[in-house]
Amino acid sequence: MTRHTPIIPVDPHHPDADAIRQAAAVLRDGGLVAFPTETVYGLGANALDAEAIAGIYRAKGRPANNPLIAHISTVAELARVAVDIPERAHQLAAAFWPGALTLVLKRHPQVPGSVSLGRDTIAVRLPSHPVAHALIEAAGVPVVAPSANRFTRPSATTAQHVLADLDGRVDLILDGGPTPIGVESTVVDLTVDPPIVLRPGGVTFEALREHMPDVQRYSAAVAMDDDSARPASPGMLSKHYSPNASMLLFRGPFEAVTDAMRQTIGDCMQAGQKVGLLLPDAEQPLFANLDVEVVRLGADAAQMARHLFAALRQLDEQGVDCILARIPPAEGLGVTVGDRLLRAAEGQVIDVTDADI
Ligand code: TXA
Ligand code: MG
């Protein structure tokens, strides 16, 4: 495909029925449509069409070794993609769907094995975004959709990000504006006992635990790494998105980390490097009057999640040599933001202690 990919603007709350019909027809014909969900943009294909699924991996430039999420538009459709559905799946669906939670269940035999790369499981999500919902409903089939970014790029949270990564490689982009959550869904495996969070995401661990007290926390030892070339091995996060710049992440007591960051900024600048800083709004005054590129992520963890991927793309465009950020406190969406930062830094983090001051 060398031609440019057409973009159709749609109202995110009340998508135009003609635009949705047109996009649904592309999906039914085996094509690829990028569309907004409440988490990130997805790159959709008919989940029951093995050829279309192969097209997704080609378009992303991703090795075919990361299983895909099937998106549905009603809970009843669960029975089309999964079998032996446990009662707790229905409980979680009632609590969190439509929304940013993906359930790993036993795969229905009518779903091609290539969706989950031969595993007997399938990841399923019922998104809440009106455009995603309308598209899946109109397509009349479950829709597999990985995040609509090229392999090794941050997930796309705007149609412009999708275009930058996938122009000419997909058939159509529905532009419903920026995605409200900004990070991908939480993936929880219900085929194991106790259930385990494989990827922290838009639904917090605390919220999940209220409905499923025995759920286990994400651990790098078991999680499959998003967009990676293989499942992560113990203690190691393999390549996800890595900016051209080196990512320097800091973790530890607040004051000590601030001092360590200031020190590192000075060192980098002395070495002639252009420095980028990812900062929560409240921390901006701590780093004022420095000759660095600052991207403000927002006032709280939810806003940081919403802006993180766009911020990483922006700093890449600004050509910084190193990006500094603090790992947020490990609670609520801070866990998810920290996880995505760590993936971008390929697991490298500088642990600062009070003794280092
Ligand atoms: O928010 C999201 O989840 C977005 C939007 C588009 O829905 N999609 C997304 O897809 O992030 P993707 O392909 O980038 O990530 C899918 C995640 C990966 O971490 C993958 O390992 C996990 O879901 N996954 C998919 N199928 C699985 C399975 N059968 N067993 C375990 N993990 C699975
Ligand atoms: Mg992804």
Side-chain angles (χ1 to χ4, degrees):
M1 236 188 275
T2 49
R3 65 183 178 85
H4 289 295
T5 298
I7 303 185
I8 305 182
V10 287
D11 183 305
H13 305 292
H14 305 284
D16 176 63
D18 280 340
I20 294 297
R21 263 196 297 275
Q22 194 179 328
V26 172
L27 287 178
R28 273 197 308 273
D29 287 348
L32 304 179
V33 176
F35 61 96
T37 79
E38 69 277 26
T39 57
V40 298
Y41 273 73
L43 176 56
N46 178 352
L48 307 180
D49 180 342
E51 288 279 311
I53 294 162
I56 283 184
Y57 289 107
R58 274 199 301 277
K60 283 197 60 137
R62 156 154 124 181
N65 50 17
N66 200 29
L68 302 171
I69 298 171
H71 297 70
I72 55 179
S73 62
T74 64
V75 176
E77 276 179 276
L78 250 188
R80 285 179 81 179
V81 293
V83 292
D84 298 342
I85 301 164
E87 178 49 30
R88 57 193 345 172
H90 291 288
Q91 286 163 3
L92 292 178
F96 296 103
W97 282 359
L101 182 68
T102 294
L103 304 178
V104 175
L105 299 165
K106 280 248 178 335
R107 179 166 52 86
H108 193 295
Q110 83 156 359
V111 179
S114 58
V115 165
S116 34
L117 302 166
R119 286 175 184 77
D120 61 0
T121 56
I122 185 159
V124 192
R125 181 161 100 81
L126 198 165
S128 65
H129 197 294
V131 174
H133 182 85
L135 177 64
I136 301 160
E137 190 172 53
V141 289
V143 174
V144 276
S147 49
N149 53 288
R150 279 295 277 275
F151 178 56
T152 77
R153 297 275 293 156
S155 296
T157 55
T158 68
Q160 288 67 43
H161 297 161
V162 179
L163 193 68
D165 282 14
L166 299 172
D167 188 20
R169 302 174 73 89
V170 303
D171 298 295
L172 184 65
I173 300 171
L174 291 178
D175 181 357
T179 55
I181 295 177
V183 288
E184 304 89 336
S185 62
T186 300
V187 180
V188 59
D189 189 349
L190 295 184
T191 68
V192 291
D193 193 21
I196 182 154
V197 173
L198 297 178
R199 177 178 73 180
V203 167
T204 66
F205 185 78
E206 292 87 340
L208 262 184
R209 198 171 44 193
E210 272 180 34
H211 295 271
M212 198 167 52
D214 58 335
V215 65
Q216 297 297 298
R217 250 175 214 287
Y218 161 86
S219 137
V222 295
M224 268 179 288
D225 200 6
D226 211 21
D227 281 346
S228 71
R230 60 192 179 284
S233 33
M236 195 187 82
L237 281 166
S238 50
K239 189 179 173 81
H240 177 236
Y241 156 69
S242 356
N244 301 321
S246 43
M247 276 300 278
L248 299 173
L249 301 182
F250 297 81
R251 183 167 51 198
F254 189 86
E255 299 290 333
V257 163
T258 303
D259 287 346
M261 286 174 72
R262 282 215 196 96
Q263 176 82 47
T264 306
I265 292 168
D267 294 347
C268 290
M269 287 175 64
Q270 217 153 37
Q273 294 188 323
K274 188 171 172 186
V275 179
L277 276 183
L278 294 172
L279 290 181
D281 292 355
E283 291 181 34
Q284 207 190 6
L286 300 175
F287 300 93
N289 303 319
L290 294 170
D291 185 18
V292 296
E293 303 289 344
V294 172
V295 183
R296 288 171 47 169
L297 291 178
D300 55 26
Q303 290 183 10
M304 291 174 73
R306 190 176 310 144
H307 300 133
L308 180 64
F309 289 137
L312 289 170
R313 283 177 184 259
Q314 183 186 328
L315 287 175
D316 256 356
E317 270 162 30
Q318 289 172 332
V320 302
D321 300 298
C322 56
I323 300 173
L324 276 64
R326 181 195 303 269
I327 299 278
E331 58 192 31
L333 282 175
V335 174
T336 307
V337 172
D339 173 79
R340 301 306 189 269
L341 283 170
L342 275 165
R343 288 173 193 260
E346 297 184 49
Q348 305 254 30
V349 58
I350 299 162
D351 276 300
V352 185
T353 62
D354 283 321
D356 295 332
I357 312 179

